[in-house]
Amino acid sequence: MTAVDAGVAGADGVVPEGPLRPMQASAALDGEGGCIAEARHFAADFLARVRDQQGVQVSQRAVDLTCLVVSELVTNALKYAPGPALMDVRITGGEVEIVVWDSDPVLPAARAADAGRVGQHGLEIVMSVVNGFEARKEPVGKRITARVALHDPTGSPAR
């Protein structure tokens, strides 16, 4: 996995003034052993940095759900698409946005619940815990975007 931390710089490399500074980090996922765990750690570390360095309130629930969503989306990307995948995590308003790109143009579809089915529940799990989900075709492959609330409705802070 190769990581690029955009921190608070905009696309032009300039750090904008004021409260609307984008906070994001990107990683190229090579599919090698341990890549999925590395992607989870990358996302959790990003959330810890925006909490500690930028003062963004991030609940433990947000960290846990983000890691779960990253795990499921990256697993699917590496399982069903040839070649590497890319992942972005960024703060947008009161949410963390997880974006995973892969080279397969086929859009995923959640299957109907089936307690007897073994496996293939990842998208069902993601859909049950996110605030928003979007899958769209790109000129090459597809881009999956999932959004998780940064705040726990019960109010428990991140550790």
Side-chain angles (χ1 to χ4, degrees):
M1 181 173 90
T2 304
V4 176
D5 189 353
V8 296
D12 58 1
V14 176
V15 177
E17 297 294 326
L20 297 178
R21 299 183 305 183
M23 292 173 271
Q24 70 178 44
S26 301
L29 309 166
D30 56 14
E32 296 297 318
C35 179
I36 296 163
E38 289 175 13
R40 283 192 306 267
H41 293 297
F42 179 81
D45 290 347
F46 168 76
L47 290 174
R49 280 194 317 276
V50 299
R51 181 192 65 229
D52 298 342
Q53 296 173 6
Q54 302 297 325
V56 174
Q57 292 186 10
V58 179
S59 71
Q60 186 60 48
R61 181 176 189 272
V63 174
D64 294 343
L65 291 180
T66 297
C67 289
L68 173 64
V69 169
V70 164
S71 185
E72 295 297 336
L73 294 182
V74 170
T75 296
N76 285 348
L78 298 175
K79 182 176 181 180
Y80 296 110
L86 302 174
M87 180 180 73
D88 294 327
V89 287
R90 57 183 161 243
I91 303 300
T92 58
E95 298 175 322
V96 58
E97 193 171 76
I98 303 112
V99 181
V100 176
W101 170 89
D102 67 52
S103 62
D104 184 5
V106 177
L107 297 178
R111 299 177 65 182
D114 179 359
R117 184 175 70 236
V118 176
Q120 298 186 340
H121 294 281
L123 194 54
E124 291 173 56
I125 293 167
V126 168
M127 299 296 280
S128 71
V129 301
V130 298
N131 285 5
F133 180 86
E134 177 186 8
R136 71 172 195 216
K137 289 186 179 183
E138 293 288 324
V140 174
K142 67 180 168 293
R143 184 174 309 273
I144 307 298
T145 303
R147 289 177 297 285
V148 173
L150 288 172
H151 307 297
D152 184 347
T154 64
S156 61
R159 291 172 259 189

